[in-house]
Amino acid sequence: MNGQDKELIRVAADLRISKEQKKALNVMRSEFMSKLKSALAKSDNEYRIRLKMEYIGGSIKKGTAMRFNPDIDVVALFEFDSEDGKLPTVTSVLKLLQSITPDGFVSKRGVTALTISRKGIQKIGSKAQLTMDLVPALCHPSKHGKSPLGKWYYQIDPRGYGNWVKFNPAIQDDIMKKLHRRTEPDDPTALLICLKRWRDLQKNPPAKLSSYVLEVLVWHEYNKRPKQNQVPLVKRFNNVIKSLNEVKSGLSFKNASKPPKSKSRIKNPPFIQNPANANMDILGMSSADFNWWLKMSKKVLDGNATVNKMLK
């Protein structure tokens, strides 16, 4: 292992979320979801929305959570029922969930999720407040069968258009399981943490480069060079940054919207949380904003950048 790879892995280890933070987040998740399920069961909402199941997604599940502003993403699958079979609106679902926020918690409604925190708590020691993003997904009771995650279901369009998109995480789940079989120094989680750190260090960006974009670019890198330790980890870092310059007309995850096989059943949540569909441009920013990120990427690729300069 070369010195640059060692430094990338060391930086990633320093940035990872602590065991104490993970425990506190899971305690908050368990308490909130238990109270929410009870509140929904008692509510008389128009679509008879009920909590079917929940799973942890996002960076906690992926092994790429960072200790700065730690949060946990919880994808909650809700059954709904309506006479005409139509989906409730995104706004109505988010407003309903916010209206029954359990005592002791505060919820802030965003475009695609509710951000949950404990009431009256601003910080945990010297760290920022722990938060949970509650991401709703929908399925019809007659559609999901025994395993909801083996079927189509609906999530809020992550581009912020205020509508539902049909998706299934089976393909991403299979892809990312293969990535997770890798070991140091060729560790995609360390690579992603360092890429997110580079992104977060850029000052005053016109639009945020999402973690999902970085995840897809990391997948493309390993898809092109699949062998373990085929290239140094720092080379993979540079390859991902360089691949930003290859994105000409948006970025999508190929084959993401293929339906699962009839016997497909998913035991674990996907590494990538928002597969949406294969035709979706996941960049979520204008050409001018993306050009700003291209300029930042070129500074990394100027030939003189080191791990210390890039990530500190």
Side-chain angles (χ1 to χ4, degrees), residues 260-299:
K261 296 179 181 179
S262 60
K263 295 182 179 180
S264 174
R265 291 293 181 267
I266 298 175
K267 295 180 180 179
N268 297 304
F271 184 96
I272 293 180
Q273 181 183 325
N274 292 320
N277 61 57
N279 299 317
M280 176 181 290
D281 174 13
I282 62 173
L283 279 177
M285 65 178 75
S286 67
S287 297
D289 291 347
F290 186 57
N291 282 332
W292 185 93
W293 281 104
L294 292 182
K295 290 180 182 179
M296 297 301 104
S297 71
K298 289 176 181 177
K299 291 182 180 180

XYZ file of all heavy atoms in Angstrom, residues 260-299:
321
model
N -38.095 -6.255 -10.692
C -37.425 -7.436 -10.142
C -37.945 -8.702 -10.793
O -39.039 -8.725 -11.359
C -37.810 -7.391 -8.661
C -39.137 -6.700 -8.663
C -39.046 -5.665 -9.756
N -37.159 -9.766 -10.716
C -37.628 -11.056 -11.198
C -38.750 -11.545 -10.289
O -38.867 -11.127 -9.144
C -36.472 -12.055 -11.223
C -35.370 -11.681 -12.209
C -34.244 -12.710 -12.171
C -33.145 -12.321 -13.146
N -32.011 -13.293 -13.120
N -39.547 -12.460 -10.797
C -40.734 -12.893 -10.065
C -40.407 -13.452 -8.682
O -41.184 -13.327 -7.748
C -41.498 -13.946 -10.880
O -40.673 -15.069 -11.132
N -39.234 -14.082 -8.562
C -38.861 -14.675 -7.284
C -37.910 -13.785 -6.486
O -37.372 -14.195 -5.465
C -38.216 -16.037 -7.518
C -39.169 -17.067 -8.126
C -38.481 -18.415 -8.280
C -39.431 -19.447 -8.868
N -38.776 -20.765 -9.033
N -37.706 -12.566 -6.986
C -36.754 -11.669 -6.324
C -37.271 -11.232 -4.955
O -38.392 -10.780 -4.818
C -36.509 -10.439 -7.196
O -35.698 -9.508 -6.530
N -36.447 -11.381 -3.968
C -36.779 -10.909 -2.628
C -35.535 -10.288 -2.023
O -34.455 -10.889 -2.044
C -37.269 -12.064 -1.733
C -38.635 -12.614 -2.158
C -39.725 -11.584 -1.934
N -41.029 -12.102 -2.302
C -41.587 -11.946 -3.478
N -40.914 -11.335 -4.443
N -42.796 -12.405 -3.721
N -35.681 -9.099 -1.474
C -34.532 -8.381 -0.944
C -34.514 -8.491 0.571
O -35.465 -8.101 1.248
C -34.580 -6.897 -1.353
C -34.507 -6.798 -2.876
C -33.435 -6.117 -0.732
C -34.675 -5.406 -3.381
N -33.440 -9.018 1.103
C -33.324 -9.170 2.547
C -32.736 -7.924 3.197
O -32.962 -7.648 4.362
C -32.448 -10.377 2.872
C -33.044 -11.708 2.423
C -32.133 -12.863 2.783
C -32.733 -14.190 2.339
N -31.843 -15.334 2.671
N -31.942 -7.167 2.434
C -31.293 -5.970 2.974
C -31.594 -4.762 2.105
O -31.804 -4.891 0.898
C -29.774 -6.175 3.036
C -29.400 -7.305 3.973
O -29.778 -7.287 5.138
N -28.674 -8.286 3.463
N -31.609 -3.567 2.683
C -31.850 -2.346 1.915
C -30.704 -2.076 0.939
O -29.608 -2.616 1.088
C -31.908 -1.256 2.990
C -32.142 -1.985 4.259
C -31.470 -3.311 4.099
N -30.928 -1.237 -0.051
C -29.901 -0.961 -1.050
C -28.811 -0.049 -0.533
O -29.019 0.752 0.370
C -30.687 -0.268 -2.167
C -31.817 0.394 -1.446
C -32.187 -0.543 -0.340
N -27.627 -0.164 -1.117
C -26.519 0.741 -0.802
C -26.876 2.147 -1.272
O -26.678 3.123 -0.576
C -25.264 0.237 -1.515
C -24.004 1.008 -1.224
C -23.126 0.566 -0.252
C -23.681 2.142 -1.931
C -21.964 1.256 0.012
C -22.515 2.838 -1.679
C -21.647 2.388 -0.713
N -27.397 2.235 -2.483
C -27.852 3.517 -3.011
C -29.303 3.697 -2.616
O -30.148 2.869 -2.907
C -27.705 3.573 -4.544
C -26.219 3.553 -4.912
C -28.354 4.820 -5.103
C -25.966 3.604 -6.397
N -29.619 4.802 -1.979
C -30.950 4.973 -1.414
C -31.989 5.406 -2.444
O -33.142 5.018 -2.367
C -30.908 6.008 -0.292
C -32.273 6.212 0.366
C -32.242 7.273 1.394
O -31.273 7.448 2.082
N -33.310 8.019 1.516
N -31.618 6.238 -3.393
C -32.591 6.807 -4.310
C -32.389 6.358 -5.751
O -31.942 7.123 -6.591
C -32.529 8.341 -4.262
C -33.013 8.889 -2.943
O -33.978 8.399 -2.395
N -32.347 9.911 -2.445
N -32.671 5.094 -6.069
C -32.465 4.655 -7.443
C -33.397 5.327 -8.431
O -33.032 5.562 -9.565
C -32.723 3.149 -7.379
C -33.567 2.967 -6.181
C -33.151 4.009 -5.205
N -34.631 5.660 -7.991
C -35.621 6.300 -8.850
C -35.747 5.523 -10.151
O -36.041 4.348 -10.124
C -35.251 7.758 -9.065
N -35.492 6.133 -11.297
C -35.577 5.363 -12.528
C -34.448 5.693 -13.486
O -33.733 6.680 -13.322
C -36.936 5.560 -13.211
C -37.162 6.996 -13.593
O -36.372 7.579 -14.322
N -38.233 7.591 -13.097
N -34.274 4.847 -14.481
C -33.093 4.925 -15.339
C -33.049 6.189 -16.171
O -31.991 6.584 -16.644
C -33.051 3.702 -16.262
N -34.187 6.827 -16.382
C -34.221 8.011 -17.237
C -34.035 9.308 -16.468
O -34.070 10.390 -17.045
C -35.558 8.060 -17.986
C -35.735 6.849 -18.873
O -34.803 6.439 -19.538
N -36.930 6.287 -18.876
N -33.844 9.209 -15.160
C -33.772 10.420 -14.343
C -32.374 11.027 -14.327
O -31.385 10.331 -14.128
C -34.194 10.107 -12.908
C -34.062 11.287 -11.942
S -34.537 10.856 -10.268
C -36.292 10.649 -10.477
N -32.301 12.322 -14.532
C -31.048 13.050 -14.369
C -30.894 13.374 -12.886
O -31.670 14.144 -12.328
C -31.077 14.338 -15.197
C -29.853 15.212 -14.961
O -28.880 14.722 -14.360
O -29.873 16.381 -15.368
N -29.899 12.772 -12.255
C -29.775 12.911 -10.801
C -28.871 14.057 -10.372
O -28.660 14.272 -9.175
C -29.251 11.604 -10.175
C -27.854 11.273 -10.712
C -30.219 10.473 -10.414
C -27.205 10.104 -10.025
N -28.313 14.812 -11.331
C -27.443 15.926 -10.947
C -28.212 16.982 -10.166
O -27.731 17.502 -9.172
C -26.807 16.558 -12.183
C -25.578 15.848 -12.753
C -25.107 16.551 -14.018
C -24.454 15.791 -11.741
N -29.401 17.303 -10.642
C -30.242 18.245 -9.917
C -29.699 19.650 -9.836
O -29.907 20.333 -8.829
N -28.996 20.107 -10.857
C -28.482 21.482 -10.857
C -28.362 21.983 -12.288
O -28.357 21.205 -13.243
C -27.137 21.561 -10.134
C -25.999 20.807 -10.798
S -24.416 20.995 -9.913
C -24.675 19.938 -8.497
N -28.255 23.294 -12.418
C -28.145 23.895 -13.744
C -26.751 23.676 -14.322
O -25.810 23.308 -13.606
C -28.419 25.400 -13.658
O -27.386 26.046 -12.923
N -26.612 23.933 -15.616
C -25.308 23.795 -16.273
C -24.291 24.755 -15.679
O -23.123 24.404 -15.487
C -25.445 24.054 -17.778
O -26.283 23.090 -18.382
N -24.743 25.955 -15.353
C -23.840 26.953 -14.771
C -23.327 26.493 -13.405
O -22.129 26.626 -13.098
C -24.554 28.298 -14.643
N -24.230 25.939 -12.597
C -23.821 25.448 -11.270
C -22.866 24.264 -11.404
O -21.894 24.142 -10.656
C -25.048 25.039 -10.456
C -25.897 26.233 -10.045
O -25.409 27.369 -10.183
O -27.038 26.023 -9.608
N -23.159 23.380 -12.361
C -22.299 22.214 -12.544
C -20.925 22.627 -13.052
O -19.912 22.022 -12.685
C -22.944 21.226 -13.511
C -22.186 19.934 -13.642
C -21.928 19.146 -12.529
C -21.723 19.502 -14.871
C -21.234 17.954 -12.627
C -21.027 18.306 -14.991
C -20.778 17.539 -13.868
N -20.857 23.664 -13.870
C -19.564 24.156 -14.354
C -18.704 24.655 -13.198
O -17.471 24.576 -13.247
C -19.765 25.265 -15.388
C -20.157 24.725 -16.748
O -19.806 23.607 -17.103
N -20.895 25.515 -17.519
N -19.354 25.172 -12.150
C -18.599 25.603 -10.959
C -17.893 24.403 -10.346
O -16.726 24.478 -9.962
C -19.559 26.246 -9.954
C -18.892 26.834 -8.746
C -18.482 28.123 -8.580
C -18.546 26.144 -7.525
N -17.913 28.287 -7.338
C -17.931 27.096 -6.669
C -18.687 24.839 -7.078
C -17.478 26.759 -5.401
C -18.233 24.500 -5.815
C -17.634 25.456 -4.987
N -18.600 23.276 -10.261
C -18.002 22.067 -9.702
C -16.892 21.525 -10.607
O -15.891 20.992 -10.119
C -19.071 21.001 -9.481
C -19.866 21.254 -8.229
C -21.124 21.753 -8.149
C -19.428 21.054 -6.885
N -21.514 21.876 -6.835
C -20.481 21.451 -6.031
C -18.247 20.580 -6.315
C -20.393 21.392 -4.645
C -18.154 20.510 -4.928
C -19.209 20.910 -4.115
N -17.049 21.683 -11.886
C -15.994 21.254 -12.807
C -14.711 22.053 -12.572
O -13.605 21.511 -12.623
C -16.451 21.404 -14.256
C -17.579 20.465 -14.718
C -17.890 20.708 -16.182
C -17.215 19.011 -14.480
N -14.862 23.347 -12.305
C -13.690 24.180 -12.013
C -13.003 23.709 -10.736
O -11.772 23.678 -10.658
C -14.111 25.647 -11.879
C -14.535 26.295 -13.192
C -14.936 27.742 -12.972
C -15.398 28.382 -14.276
N -15.825 29.796 -14.071
N -13.802 23.352 -9.726
C -13.227 22.863 -8.478
C -12.511 21.528 -8.696
O -11.460 21.267 -8.103
C -14.325 22.681 -7.419
C -15.034 23.964 -7.005
S -13.908 25.228 -6.325
C -13.793 26.356 -7.730
N -13.069 20.679 -9.543
C -12.456 19.376 -9.795
C -11.109 19.522 -10.495
O -10.194 18.731 -10.264
C -13.395 18.504 -10.628
O -13.498 18.970 -11.958
N -10.984 20.515 -11.336
C -9.730 20.708 -12.069
C -8.590 21.095 -11.135
O -7.425 20.826 -11.418
C -9.920 21.756 -13.162
C -10.789 21.256 -14.311
C -11.064 22.330 -15.344
C -11.965 21.792 -16.452
N -12.312 22.822 -17.454
N -8.916 21.727 -10.006
C -7.880 22.072 -9.027
C -7.282 20.813 -8.409
O -6.102 20.785 -8.067
C -8.476 22.970 -7.936
C -8.860 24.356 -8.424
C -9.389 25.205 -7.269
C -9.771 26.606 -7.743
N -10.277 27.444 -6.629
